[in-house]
Amino acid sequence: MMNSTHLSYFTLSVYFDTGFFKYLFFMIVMCLYVCILGANVLLIVVICVNRSLHEPMYLFLCSLFVNELYGSTGLFPFLLVQILSDIHTVSAPLCFLQVYSVYTYVCVEYLNLTVMSYDRYLAICYPLQYNTHMTSRKAAKLIAATWLFPFLSIVVLIFLTVSLTLCGNILDTVYCGNFFIVKLACSDTRVNNIYGLFYTVISIVIPLLLILYTYMRILRVCFSGSKQTRQKALSTCTPHLASLINFSFGVLFEVLQSRFDMSSVPNMLRILLSLYFLTCQPLFTPVLYGLKMSKIRIICKCLLYGEV
């Protein structure tokens, strides 16, 4: 038994020898990471450079794209190293840093999507008062809160985990997860479990309920409104809903995997599903918004193909 602060490394047991195919997997993951970096950086630059996009909706989108870069960077360099490595270990400080990165990414993503749904709710349900209710200053405050709350709350989560006494160092996962570390504990984990439940409710359940409420109000207005109102709602809400559903699917599997025995699921399928929300969402989001948002799509075409 040892305190997790005195533990030097963790071993990731899910990885297995793929032989020569590890170089193929490395190239696939590397190409995916480059695409994620390119797509998100392109849209961030487009929004920052063009004054016509300096509106709350696009500022929230910019924050979302920055978070996609942040979340993918918390995983991909680590994953690339593990694919080529013959010994799948990670130092304890780096493991806790990855836990911090992944958990803050998830929380920021949900809070960002919640703020975006609130913005669409104001734009569709109160179009005449929108500019009064959603000013640039208010948008900046919402974005700041979206990032500040997760970065502070996860510090507490990490502190509680670090203070545990662990009976082992083998993690049955592809990357470092807080609950997988907590399951190694010999000491009492009730405080960790209570805070983990509290954090899950605050960062996932409440945002999802708020999003559900705003969309119920939006649908009510759409059904009673004009065709133009329905088209506006469809064009701006479709990518948001698709992004939310895609992300929630991946997070749901990861929560289920950490809480229940998933040994009956094939190992390769477990790996792919556990990586889903950290690999697909960062590329899915910029591609979806780049294709569906007409202003962004037109400016990207002009930038890439030199069209006027």
Side-chain angles (χ1 to χ4, degrees):
M1 295 188 299
M2 62 176 65
N3 191 284
S4 59
T5 54
H6 299 137
L7 197 69
S8 60
Y9 67 93
F10 290 99
T11 300
L12 304 174
S13 64
V14 172
Y15 290 93
F16 56 92
D17 183 25
T18 55
F20 183 77
F21 285 104
K22 68 181 179 181
Y23 300 106
L24 175 63
F25 295 146
F26 179 86
M27 291 304 299
I28 292 171
V29 174
M30 175 62 82
C31 289
L32 180 59
Y33 186 41
V34 170
C35 289
I36 289 170
L37 292 177
N40 284 285
V41 169
L42 172 64
L43 295 188
I44 291 169
V45 170
V46 164
I47 292 172
C48 291
V49 170
N50 291 273
R51 288 187 174 275
S52 62
L53 299 181
H54 291 183
E55 301 172 6
M57 179 176 69
Y58 296 105
L59 295 179
F60 296 139
L61 273 177
C62 189
S63 174
L64 192 67
F65 299 145
V66 171
N67 190 48
E68 304 302 357
L69 286 177
Y70 169 69
S72 58
T73 303
L75 172 74
F76 276 90
F78 172 85
L79 191 59
L80 289 168
V81 171
Q82 292 298 323
I83 289 173
L84 291 181
S85 178
D86 293 323
I87 303 173
H88 303 291
T89 60
V90 55
S91 66
L94 184 60
C95 191
F96 285 114
L97 180 62
Q98 188 174 53
V99 170
Y100 184 82
S101 174
V102 170
Y103 279 57
T104 49
Y105 163 71
V106 172
C107 189
V108 170
E109 190 83 358
Y110 272 117
L111 292 179
N112 223 317
L113 291 170
T114 305
V115 169
M116 290 170 68
S117 69
Y118 172 65
D119 176 70
R120 292 300 83 209
Y121 161 71
L122 291 179
I124 294 168
C125 298
Y126 303 98
L128 299 178
Q129 295 86 19
Y130 175 76
N131 290 329
T132 304
H133 290 313
M134 185 57 73
T135 62
S136 296
R137 179 174 291 185
K138 186 175 182 179
K141 288 180 179 178
L142 288 171
I143 291 172
T146 295
W147 285 84
L148 190 61
F149 170 74
F151 274 70
L152 294 177
S153 60
I154 297 301
V155 169
V156 179
L157 189 75
I158 297 296
F159 174 78
L160 291 173
T161 305
V162 168
S163 62
L164 292 173
T165 301
L166 304 182
C167 289
N169 67 338
I170 299 176
L171 302 177
D172 187 28
T173 180
V174 186
Y175 56 89
C176 295
N178 184 69
F179 193 74
F180 290 99
I181 299 174
V182 172
K183 286 200 290 189
L184 298 175
C186 305
S187 53
D188 187 14
T189 61
R190 279 180 296 181
V191 176
N192 299 72
N193 292 331
I194 292 170
Y195 186 80
L197 182 62
F198 168 77
Y199 173 76
T200 302
V201 170
I202 294 294
S203 63
I204 298 177
V205 177
I206 291 179
L208 285 175
L209 290 175
L210 291 174
I211 292 171
L212 179 63
Y213 170 77
T214 57
Y215 271 99
M216 287 175 62
R217 296 294 301 270
I218 289 171
L219 285 173
R220 184 179 176 184
V221 170
C222 288
F223 283 125
S224 61
S226 62
K227 184 180 179 180
Q228 185 180 1
T229 303
R230 286 193 293 272
Q231 288 177 339
K232 179 183 178 182
L234 187 65
S235 64
T236 59
C237 294
T238 300
H240 179 270
L241 271 177
S243 181
L244 175 68
I245 293 169
N246 181 68
F247 187 67
S248 297
F249 168 77
V251 171
L252 177 63
F253 178 81
E254 190 60 17
V255 170
L256 291 175
Q257 181 180 232
S258 64
R259 298 285 174 173
F260 301 101
D261 180 20
M262 304 292 283
S263 57
S264 59
V265 179
N267 196 37
M268 182 58 76
L269 182 61
R270 282 175 58 199
I271 292 173
L272 292 175
L273 288 175
S274 64
L275 290 173
Y276 182 82
F277 76 100
L278 284 168
T279 54
C280 292
Q281 182 73 6
L283 184 60
F284 181 79
T285 298
V287 169
L288 182 67
Y289 279 101
L291 293 174
K292 292 295 292 182
M293 306 294 284
S294 58
K295 275 189 176 182
I296 294 178
R297 186 174 66 249
I298 292 168
I299 294 172
C300 283
K301 285 176 69 177
C302 293
L303 190 64
L304 293 173
Y305 302 112
E307 298 178 4
V308 180

